[in-house]
Amino acid sequence: MGLTKARLKNRLLRARLGGRNLPPLAAANLLALEGLDPEAPASSLSYVVLDLETTGLDPASDRVVSVGAVRLKQGRVRLGERFAELVNPSRAIPPEAIKVHGITPDMLTHARHAGDVFQDFLAYLGRDILVAHYAPFDLHFINLTMKSLYGFPLQNLVLDTVLMCQQALLPSDPYGIAGHAKRCGLDTLAKRFGLPREERHTALGDALLTAMVLQRLLAELEHKGVVKLRQVLSLAGRW
Amino acid sequence: MTEAAFPRVLEFVRKVVPFDTLPAEELEAAVERMEIAYFPRGQVVIEAGGEPAQFLYVIQTGSAKISLPQKEGQELLVDQRGEGEYFGAVSLLQGSRALFRVTAREDLICYLLPGDAFRDLVARYPSLERHFGFGLARNLQAMRTAGQAPAGGLLDGASLDASLVQGRVAEVMTREVLTCLPATPVKAAAHLMMVRRVGSVVVVEESGHPIGILTDSDLRSRVLAYGRSADRPVLEFMSQPVHTLSPESHIFEALLAMSTHGVNHLVVTEQDRVVGLISDHDLRGLTGSSPVTVVRDIEKVASLDDLVLVHKKVDRVLEMLLRQGGSAPTMLALVTEFNDRLTIKLLELVESQMEHGGLGRPPVPYVWMALGSEGRREQTLRTDQDNALIFANLPPERLEAVKTWFLGFAERVVAGLEACGFPRCPGEVMASNPRWCQGERQWQETFLRWIQDPEPLSLRLATIFFDFRGIYAEADFIENLQLKLKEGLEGNRLFLRYMAKNALYNRPPLGFLRQFVVEKSGEHKNKLNLKLSGLTPMVDALRVMSLDLGLTLTNTLERLEAVAQAGLIKPALAADLREAFSFMTILRIGRHLEARARGELPDNFLDPAALSGLQRKMLKESFGVISQLQDLMEYRYQARMVQH
C-alpha cells in the first residue's frame, strides 16, 4: 500500500476520533505518517526491525512471549538502539514453542504483561517505519494490543522483507534463493547473503538478522533502480 | 540483562587485535555503540582526501582494498584488509582528511565504532594507544618522508605500508630528454648535447619508439678514438638495444637493470614514448639507506671489517622495501644482488690478502659457485652458506698444490661470509670442504655419477648442487657443467623419477577439511613450517620438470615460466603458482625481519593463528595449488612406482 492511501486512512481515522482525549502515546502514533517524504531515498530513512516470539503459530489463540527490535538508520544497524523484553503471555507455553525459542515459564515469572511492554515499544518505535519478516504475523499481535489499549491499529508504515525478497530477489534467482524454489525464509536469505546465523531464535537475534537482510535488500533494490520510499512501498508495503 | 545482547558480535570483536586486550565490560560498552554497515563490492567506503573518517571500521565479512588514487583513474594498491581487521584508524585519530581510498573488494559487512567511543578507548587503554599510535606514526611518517627511508622498526606482519609512493623512478629521472632520429649526423647530435649541456641523446624512430642511446663515452670511444667521420649517422655509433622501464618502477629496479645489463643509462618510457632518462648519476644523488647507497658502499669497501659493517645496512634496506610493497621477485633479486656483490668483493679482498701474505695469486682460473637457494637466486636475508669452487683441469703432479691453495682461499672466504652473517652450512656444503673444491673434470664426473647411480644421499645432494650458478667466473666451467648435466640426463628417466619421488616427501600441510595441519608438539607446537611444507615442494617439483626439459635455469619462477611455456603446466595453474610463491616468500621475509628485529634467530615456523583472515585464506589457497602441482608431477613421473 502506498503512502497516499495510508495517509488517507490515517486522516479518516483522525476525523472519526475527532477531538477525543487520547493518551499521549496514542495521540503521538496518530501522527506517525507526518513528515514522511515519498520521494526520499529509502536508504536514508529510519526503520525499526521487529521480531516476536510467541506461544505458537495460531494468531487467534497464541500470544507474544518475547519482543526484539533494532533500529536501521541511514543504512546502518544501530546495535545500541534496540528493544528487547520478555512478555508474560498470561497462558501456558506449549512445549513445542519452548523448543523453538527456549523461553520457559520460569523465565517469565517477573516479565511484564503485553500492554505494559507494548507501550514502551511504541515509545521506542516513534514515527519509524516498522519492518518484519512476514509482517502480517507480527502486525496482528501488535494491533491486538494496540486496539485493546487505544481502539485503533498501528499507524506507522509497515514493510515486509518477505515481499521485498519476492520482488527484488526471486526474479533474478530463477532457481529460487540459494536453491530453494520460491522460498524466502530468513535462514535461506541469511545463507544467500552470507550472514551469520548463530544468534537465531531469540527475538533480538532474529530482529538483527532481519535488519541485516533489510540492509541488503535495500541495496539490491537500489541497484535495480528502486530508490525512493514511494517505490519501495509499492513493492513491499503492508497495512 | 545478564547476558550480552549480541553475544556473537561481542565474540567477534573480542578476537580483533588490539581489542582482545580490553576487559569484558569495555567491550560490551563498545558493542553498544557499534553500528553494522553493508557496502556492496566496488563501493568506495572512504575517499582519499575526503572528510575525516567518522568510524573505525572492523571487517566482519569480506575484504577491503586500500589504495592511493593516481591520475587518470589509476590506483596504487597500498594494502588489503580482511575479516577481523580494521581500517579508518589513522584519519580518526588524526582528525585529518583520509589519506587513502578504501573500497569494498568483496561485499563488505563492517562493525562501525563511532569516532568518539574509539578515541575514548585509545585514550584510556595504553595497549590500544600503543597499537594505534604506532601504526599512525608509521603511516604519517611514511607519507611525510616520501622519498626518504623511514627509520628502522618492527614490522607488522606482512602488512605493507603507505610509503608505496616512495622511491619511484619518476621522482629522480631527468624529464628533459634530448632525442634525435637515427639518420642524424653524429656531428649534429654532439652539437645538440653540447648546447643543451647533457651527456646523452636518445635515438628514436619517427614513431617515437626508442632504439638506442648515444652518450659522451660513446662519442669518445667510438667516434673520436677511431677518427671516424662525424658526418656518419648516429645509428652507427649508438649503444643498443636501449633498456627501458616505466616511471612507476622502483628506483631499486632501475639499479638492478643497470647492474644486470651493465649500462649507465636507462630510458623511461610510457606507452613506448620516451618520457625520461635515468642515469647512475641520478642515483648517486640519493643518500641514507637506499639500495643504491648500500651497493655503492659495498663497492667502496677496502677491508673485511668494513664489509661486515656495510652488510648490516642490508637488513634495513630490505625492511624498507618490504614496507614499500616490493614484490617477491624484486625483493629476492635485490637480496641476490647484494649478496653477490658482497661475495665478489670478499673474493677480491681475500685474493689480495693471500697475495700480500706471500701465498700468491690464484694459480689457475676458477669459478665460485652458488648452490641451493643462493644458486636459485632465492635467498631471503642471510641463509646458510651453500657454495663450491671449480678450478681448471690440471696435470696430476700440480693438483695437490693448487687444491691446497684454493682450500686455504675458500676457508678464508667462508669465514668472511660467516662474519657477514651467513652461517656455515651444517652439511658442510661449502667450498672449504675438499669434496666441493675440485677441478672441472672431477665435477663433471661427480654429477654424472649421481645421475647414473641415484641413492638417497646423492639425490639429496643433487637438489642442492643442480641449482648451481656462477657468482664469480674466470672461465666457462659453469656452461660446460650445464652441458654435461643435460647430456647425462638425456635418456636417463629413472633418475628423474627418483627425484620426483623424493620431491613428494614434503607435502603442503592442509588437512582433509582444508584446515592447517600444525606441529602437534615440541618447540614449534601449533605452527607450520612455511619453507619445508610450502616452498620446498614447489621448488623441488619445478626442478624435476626443468631438468627433464633440459633447461639450465635455476630460478624457480623462471623455471615455472619455461615449464609452462613447454606446456607441462597449464597457464592458469602457472599463474596461481606464481602468486603462491610470491605470497609465501613475502610472508617469509616478513617473518625473518620481525625475528631479527626482536633479536631472535629467524626460523621458518609460522603460527597460522597469528595471521590475518585474508592471509590465512591466501596461504590455504597457496598450499592448494602446490598440492595440484605435486599431483601433476606424481602422475607425470609415475613417482610412486619407483623403488629404492
PDB file of all heavy atoms in Angstrom, chain B residues 116-140:
ATOM      1  N   ASP B 116      34.131   9.020  18.606  1.00  0.00           N
ATOM      2  CA  ASP B 116      34.329   9.462  19.996  1.00  0.00           C
ATOM      3  C   ASP B 116      34.560   8.261  20.907  1.00  0.00           C
ATOM      4  O   ASP B 116      35.423   8.297  21.790  1.00  0.00           O
ATOM      5  CB  ASP B 116      33.143  10.312  20.471  1.00  0.00           C
ATOM      6  CG  ASP B 116      31.827   9.559  20.378  1.00  0.00           C
ATOM      7  OD1 ASP B 116      31.710   8.714  19.470  1.00  0.00           O
ATOM      8  OD2 ASP B 116      30.937   9.795  21.215  1.00  0.00           O
ATOM      9  N   ALA B 117      33.812   7.172  20.680  1.00  0.00           N
ATOM     10  CA  ALA B 117      33.984   5.975  21.506  1.00  0.00           C
ATOM     11  C   ALA B 117      35.378   5.390  21.287  1.00  0.00           C
ATOM     12  O   ALA B 117      36.057   4.959  22.226  1.00  0.00           O
ATOM     13  CB  ALA B 117      32.925   4.934  21.157  1.00  0.00           C
ATOM     14  N   PHE B 118      35.828   5.402  20.048  1.00  0.00           N
ATOM     15  CA  PHE B 118      37.145   4.868  19.716  1.00  0.00           C
ATOM     16  C   PHE B 118      38.243   5.699  20.363  1.00  0.00           C
ATOM     17  O   PHE B 118      39.133   5.182  21.034  1.00  0.00           O
ATOM     18  CB  PHE B 118      37.301   4.846  18.192  1.00  0.00           C
ATOM     19  CG  PHE B 118      38.678   4.469  17.730  1.00  0.00           C
ATOM     20  CD1 PHE B 118      39.196   3.211  17.999  1.00  0.00           C
ATOM     21  CD2 PHE B 118      39.462   5.376  17.029  1.00  0.00           C
ATOM     22  CE1 PHE B 118      40.467   2.862  17.573  1.00  0.00           C
ATOM     23  CE2 PHE B 118      40.724   5.032  16.611  1.00  0.00           C
ATOM     24  CZ  PHE B 118      41.232   3.779  16.879  1.00  0.00           C
ATOM     25  N   ARG B 119      38.167   7.014  20.210  1.00  0.00           N
ATOM     26  CA  ARG B 119      39.199   7.888  20.782  1.00  0.00           C
ATOM     27  C   ARG B 119      39.230   7.750  22.297  1.00  0.00           C
ATOM     28  O   ARG B 119      40.301   7.769  22.906  1.00  0.00           O
ATOM     29  CB  ARG B 119      38.948   9.337  20.370  1.00  0.00           C
ATOM     30  CG  ARG B 119      39.427   9.629  18.949  1.00  0.00           C
ATOM     31  CD  ARG B 119      39.338  11.110  18.639  1.00  0.00           C
ATOM     32  NE  ARG B 119      37.945  11.517  18.442  1.00  0.00           N
ATOM     33  CZ  ARG B 119      37.364  11.559  17.235  1.00  0.00           C
ATOM     34  NH1 ARG B 119      38.057  11.248  16.163  1.00  0.00           N
ATOM     35  NH2 ARG B 119      36.105  11.920  17.119  1.00  0.00           N
ATOM     36  N   ASP B 120      38.044   7.586  22.894  1.00  0.00           N
ATOM     37  CA  ASP B 120      37.957   7.432  24.334  1.00  0.00           C
ATOM     38  C   ASP B 120      38.709   6.178  24.779  1.00  0.00           C
ATOM     39  O   ASP B 120      39.476   6.204  25.737  1.00  0.00           O
ATOM     40  CB  ASP B 120      36.476   7.366  24.736  1.00  0.00           C
ATOM     41  CG  ASP B 120      36.302   7.046  26.201  1.00  0.00           C
ATOM     42  OD1 ASP B 120      36.886   7.792  27.020  1.00  0.00           O
ATOM     43  OD2 ASP B 120      35.603   6.067  26.526  1.00  0.00           O
ATOM     44  N   LEU B 121      38.503   5.070  24.060  1.00  0.00           N
ATOM     45  CA  LEU B 121      39.187   3.825  24.409  1.00  0.00           C
ATOM     46  C   LEU B 121      40.703   3.969  24.235  1.00  0.00           C
ATOM     47  O   LEU B 121      41.483   3.539  25.089  1.00  0.00           O
ATOM     48  CB  LEU B 121      38.687   2.672  23.525  1.00  0.00           C
ATOM     49  CG  LEU B 121      37.327   2.085  23.883  1.00  0.00           C
ATOM     50  CD1 LEU B 121      36.895   1.066  22.850  1.00  0.00           C
ATOM     51  CD2 LEU B 121      37.369   1.444  25.272  1.00  0.00           C
ATOM     52  N   VAL B 122      41.108   4.578  23.153  1.00  0.00           N
ATOM     53  CA  VAL B 122      42.540   4.740  22.888  1.00  0.00           C
ATOM     54  C   VAL B 122      43.171   5.600  23.989  1.00  0.00           C
ATOM     55  O   VAL B 122      44.289   5.354  24.430  1.00  0.00           O
ATOM     56  CB  VAL B 122      42.778   5.363  21.497  1.00  0.00           C
ATOM     57  CG1 VAL B 122      44.238   5.726  21.302  1.00  0.00           C
ATOM     58  CG2 VAL B 122      42.331   4.396  20.407  1.00  0.00           C
ATOM     59  N   ALA B 123      42.406   6.605  24.452  1.00  0.00           N
ATOM     60  CA  ALA B 123      42.943   7.490  25.489  1.00  0.00           C
ATOM     61  C   ALA B 123      43.090   6.751  26.819  1.00  0.00           C
ATOM     62  O   ALA B 123      44.000   7.022  27.593  1.00  0.00           O
ATOM     63  CB  ALA B 123      42.032   8.705  25.652  1.00  0.00           C
ATOM     64  N   ARG B 124      42.192   5.805  27.089  1.00  0.00           N
ATOM     65  CA  ARG B 124      42.200   5.165  28.405  1.00  0.00           C
ATOM     66  C   ARG B 124      43.005   3.876  28.446  1.00  0.00           C
ATOM     67  O   ARG B 124      43.375   3.431  29.525  1.00  0.00           O
ATOM     68  CB  ARG B 124      40.763   4.922  28.867  1.00  0.00           C
ATOM     69  CG  ARG B 124      40.069   6.223  29.299  1.00  0.00           C
ATOM     70  CD  ARG B 124      38.727   5.964  29.919  1.00  0.00           C
ATOM     71  NE  ARG B 124      37.781   5.395  28.971  1.00  0.00           N
ATOM     72  CZ  ARG B 124      37.231   4.189  29.114  1.00  0.00           C
ATOM     73  NH1 ARG B 124      37.519   3.453  30.171  1.00  0.00           N
ATOM     74  NH2 ARG B 124      36.388   3.742  28.212  1.00  0.00           N
ATOM     75  N   TYR B 125      43.241   3.248  27.317  1.00  0.00           N
ATOM     76  CA  TYR B 125      43.963   1.969  27.342  1.00  0.00           C
ATOM     77  C   TYR B 125      45.298   2.051  26.612  1.00  0.00           C
ATOM     78  O   TYR B 125      45.342   2.186  25.398  1.00  0.00           O
ATOM     79  CB  TYR B 125      43.094   0.841  26.771  1.00  0.00           C
ATOM     80  CG  TYR B 125      42.010   0.474  27.728  1.00  0.00           C
ATOM     81  CD1 TYR B 125      40.766   1.078  27.646  1.00  0.00           C
ATOM     82  CD2 TYR B 125      42.266  -0.419  28.765  1.00  0.00           C
ATOM     83  CE1 TYR B 125      39.770   0.790  28.569  1.00  0.00           C
ATOM     84  CE2 TYR B 125      41.285  -0.721  29.681  1.00  0.00           C
ATOM     85  CZ  TYR B 125      40.040  -0.115  29.585  1.00  0.00           C
ATOM     86  OH  TYR B 125      39.082  -0.403  30.505  1.00  0.00           O
ATOM     87  N   PRO B 126      46.386   1.986  27.388  1.00  0.00           N
ATOM     88  CA  PRO B 126      47.720   2.089  26.784  1.00  0.00           C
ATOM     89  C   PRO B 126      47.954   1.034  25.704  1.00  0.00           C
ATOM     90  O   PRO B 126      48.635   1.293  24.721  1.00  0.00           O
ATOM     91  CB  PRO B 126      48.669   1.854  27.967  1.00  0.00           C
ATOM     92  CG  PRO B 126      47.866   2.144  29.179  1.00  0.00           C
ATOM     93  CD  PRO B 126      46.446   1.842  28.844  1.00  0.00           C
ATOM     94  N   SER B 127      47.332  -0.152  25.876  1.00  0.00           N
ATOM     95  CA  SER B 127      47.554  -1.201  24.876  1.00  0.00           C
ATOM     96  C   SER B 127      47.026  -0.747  23.521  1.00  0.00           C
ATOM     97  O   SER B 127      47.626  -1.007  22.484  1.00  0.00           O
ATOM     98  CB  SER B 127      46.876  -2.494  25.307  1.00  0.00           C
ATOM     99  OG  SER B 127      45.490  -2.292  25.474  1.00  0.00           O
ATOM    100  N   LEU B 128      45.888  -0.044  23.545  1.00  0.00           N
ATOM    101  CA  LEU B 128      45.326   0.453  22.290  1.00  0.00           C
ATOM    102  C   LEU B 128      46.136   1.620  21.766  1.00  0.00           C
ATOM    103  O   LEU B 128      46.370   1.743  20.571  1.00  0.00           O
ATOM    104  CB  LEU B 128      43.865   0.884  22.487  1.00  0.00           C
ATOM    105  CG  LEU B 128      42.822  -0.163  22.102  1.00  0.00           C
ATOM    106  CD1 LEU B 128      42.969  -1.394  22.964  1.00  0.00           C
ATOM    107  CD2 LEU B 128      41.427   0.398  22.184  1.00  0.00           C
ATOM    108  N   GLU B 129      46.552   2.459  22.686  1.00  0.00           N
ATOM    109  CA  GLU B 129      47.327   3.620  22.269  1.00  0.00           C
ATOM    110  C   GLU B 129      48.605   3.167  21.581  1.00  0.00           C
ATOM    111  O   GLU B 129      48.981   3.695  20.538  1.00  0.00           O
ATOM    112  CB  GLU B 129      47.649   4.490  23.487  1.00  0.00           C
ATOM    113  CG  GLU B 129      48.046   5.877  23.068  1.00  0.00           C
ATOM    114  CD  GLU B 129      48.805   6.603  24.148  1.00  0.00           C
ATOM    115  OE1 GLU B 129      48.770   6.164  25.315  1.00  0.00           O
ATOM    116  OE2 GLU B 129      49.456   7.596  23.811  1.00  0.00           O
ATOM    117  N   ARG B 130      49.253   2.164  22.204  1.00  0.00           N
ATOM    118  CA  ARG B 130      50.481   1.643  21.591  1.00  0.00           C
ATOM    119  C   ARG B 130      50.202   1.116  20.195  1.00  0.00           C
ATOM    120  O   ARG B 130      50.889   1.436  19.245  1.00  0.00           O
ATOM    121  CB  ARG B 130      51.074   0.526  22.457  1.00  0.00           C
ATOM    122  CG  ARG B 130      52.099   1.003  23.453  1.00  0.00           C
ATOM    123  CD  ARG B 130      52.926  -0.151  23.968  1.00  0.00           C
ATOM    124  NE  ARG B 130      52.140  -1.252  24.491  1.00  0.00           N
ATOM    125  CZ  ARG B 130      51.617  -1.290  25.708  1.00  0.00           C
ATOM    126  NH1 ARG B 130      51.792  -0.278  26.535  1.00  0.00           N
ATOM    127  NH2 ARG B 130      50.907  -2.315  26.103  1.00  0.00           N
ATOM    128  N   HIS B 131      49.151   0.314  20.125  1.00  0.00           N
ATOM    129  CA  HIS B 131      48.852  -0.323  18.839  1.00  0.00           C
ATOM    130  C   HIS B 131      48.555   0.706  17.755  1.00  0.00           C
ATOM    131  O   HIS B 131      49.158   0.712  16.695  1.00  0.00           O
ATOM    132  CB  HIS B 131      47.663  -1.268  18.997  1.00  0.00           C
ATOM    133  CG  HIS B 131      47.317  -1.990  17.735  1.00  0.00           C
ATOM    134  ND1 HIS B 131      47.867  -3.198  17.421  1.00  0.00           N
ATOM    135  CD2 HIS B 131      46.506  -1.651  16.711  1.00  0.00           C
ATOM    136  CE1 HIS B 131      47.402  -3.585  16.241  1.00  0.00           C
ATOM    137  NE2 HIS B 131      46.565  -2.671  15.796  1.00  0.00           N
ATOM    138  N   PHE B 132      47.604   1.588  18.043  1.00  0.00           N
ATOM    139  CA  PHE B 132      47.198   2.528  17.005  1.00  0.00           C
ATOM    140  C   PHE B 132      48.209   3.660  16.848  1.00  0.00           C
ATOM    141  O   PHE B 132      48.445   4.130  15.757  1.00  0.00           O
ATOM    142  CB  PHE B 132      45.811   3.100  17.313  1.00  0.00           C
ATOM    143  CG  PHE B 132      44.724   2.088  17.132  1.00  0.00           C
ATOM    144  CD1 PHE B 132      44.112   1.504  18.227  1.00  0.00           C
ATOM    145  CD2 PHE B 132      44.336   1.706  15.870  1.00  0.00           C
ATOM    146  CE1 PHE B 132      43.119   0.566  18.061  1.00  0.00           C
ATOM    147  CE2 PHE B 132      43.339   0.760  15.692  1.00  0.00           C
ATOM    148  CZ  PHE B 132      42.733   0.192  16.796  1.00  0.00           C
ATOM    149  N   GLY B 133      48.769   4.084  17.977  1.00  0.00           N
ATOM    150  CA  GLY B 133      49.747   5.162  17.929  1.00  0.00           C
ATOM    151  C   GLY B 133      50.908   4.776  17.056  1.00  0.00           C
ATOM    152  O   GLY B 133      51.387   5.539  16.225  1.00  0.00           O
ATOM    153  N   PHE B 134      51.319   3.518  17.215  1.00  0.00           N
ATOM    154  CA  PHE B 134      52.447   3.029  16.444  1.00  0.00           C
ATOM    155  C   PHE B 134      52.131   3.032  14.954  1.00  0.00           C
ATOM    156  O   PHE B 134      52.852   3.577  14.140  1.00  0.00           O
ATOM    157  CB  PHE B 134      52.798   1.629  16.930  1.00  0.00           C
ATOM    158  CG  PHE B 134      54.014   1.063  16.283  1.00  0.00           C
ATOM    159  CD1 PHE B 134      55.223   1.719  16.394  1.00  0.00           C
ATOM    160  CD2 PHE B 134      53.952  -0.110  15.559  1.00  0.00           C
ATOM    161  CE1 PHE B 134      56.347   1.210  15.801  1.00  0.00           C
ATOM    162  CE2 PHE B 134      55.082  -0.629  14.967  1.00  0.00           C
ATOM    163  CZ  PHE B 134      56.283   0.032  15.083  1.00  0.00           C
ATOM    164  N   GLY B 135      50.981   2.440  14.650  1.00  0.00           N
ATOM    165  CA  GLY B 135      50.592   2.375  13.244  1.00  0.00           C
ATOM    166  C   GLY B 135      50.448   3.766  12.652  1.00  0.00           C
ATOM    167  O   GLY B 135      50.865   4.027  11.530  1.00  0.00           O
ATOM    168  N   LEU B 136      49.906   4.657  13.456  1.00  0.00           N
ATOM    169  CA  LEU B 136      49.672   6.017  12.996  1.00  0.00           C
ATOM    170  C   LEU B 136      50.988   6.705  12.684  1.00  0.00           C
ATOM    171  O   LEU B 136      51.167   7.298  11.631  1.00  0.00           O
ATOM    172  CB  LEU B 136      48.917   6.769  14.091  1.00  0.00           C
ATOM    173  CG  LEU B 136      48.514   8.197  13.794  1.00  0.00           C
ATOM    174  CD1 LEU B 136      47.466   8.196  12.725  1.00  0.00           C
ATOM    175  CD2 LEU B 136      47.980   8.857  15.043  1.00  0.00           C
ATOM    176  N   ALA B 137      51.910   6.602  13.638  1.00  0.00           N
ATOM    177  CA  ALA B 137      53.197   7.261  13.466  1.00  0.00           C
ATOM    178  C   ALA B 137      53.860   6.751  12.194  1.00  0.00           C
ATOM    179  O   ALA B 137      54.395   7.515  11.401  1.00  0.00           O
ATOM    180  CB  ALA B 137      54.088   6.981  14.664  1.00  0.00           C
ATOM    181  N   ARG B 138      53.762   5.450  12.010  1.00  0.00           N
ATOM    182  CA  ARG B 138      54.406   4.858  10.849  1.00  0.00           C
ATOM    183  C   ARG B 138      53.793   5.384   9.558  1.00  0.00           C
ATOM    184  O   ARG B 138      54.482   5.795   8.648  1.00  0.00           O
ATOM    185  CB  ARG B 138      54.234   3.342  10.888  1.00  0.00           C
ATOM    186  CG  ARG B 138      55.459   2.643  11.366  1.00  0.00           C
ATOM    187  CD  ARG B 138      55.276   1.181  11.168  1.00  0.00           C
ATOM    188  NE  ARG B 138      53.866   0.838  11.351  1.00  0.00           N
ATOM    189  CZ  ARG B 138      53.365  -0.324  11.014  1.00  0.00           C
ATOM    190  NH1 ARG B 138      54.113  -1.220  10.473  1.00  0.00           N
ATOM    191  NH2 ARG B 138      52.095  -0.594  11.217  1.00  0.00           N
ATOM    192  N   ASN B 139      52.466   5.372   9.519  1.00  0.00           N
ATOM    193  CA  ASN B 139      51.789   5.812   8.318  1.00  0.00           C
ATOM    194  C   ASN B 139      52.116   7.259   7.985  1.00  0.00           C
ATOM    195  O   ASN B 139      52.404   7.597   6.854  1.00  0.00           O
ATOM    196  CB  ASN B 139      50.269   5.698   8.488  1.00  0.00           C
ATOM    197  CG  ASN B 139      49.793   4.311   8.149  1.00  0.00           C
ATOM    198  OD1 ASN B 139      50.189   3.752   7.146  1.00  0.00           O
ATOM    199  ND2 ASN B 139      48.963   3.757   8.989  1.00  0.00           N
ATOM    200  N   LEU B 140      52.054   8.087   9.015  1.00  0.00           N
ATOM    201  CA  LEU B 140      52.251   9.502   8.775  1.00  0.00           C
ATOM    202  C   LEU B 140      53.677   9.796   8.393  1.00  0.00           C
ATOM    203  O   LEU B 140      53.945  10.554   7.474  1.00  0.00           O
ATOM    204  CB  LEU B 140      51.868  10.302  10.026  1.00  0.00           C
ATOM    205  CG  LEU B 140      50.377  10.297  10.278  1.00  0.00           C
ATOM    206  CD1 LEU B 140      50.069  11.059  11.544  1.00  0.00           C
ATOM    207  CD2 LEU B 140      49.632  10.907   9.104  1.00  0.00           C
TER     208      LEU B 140
END
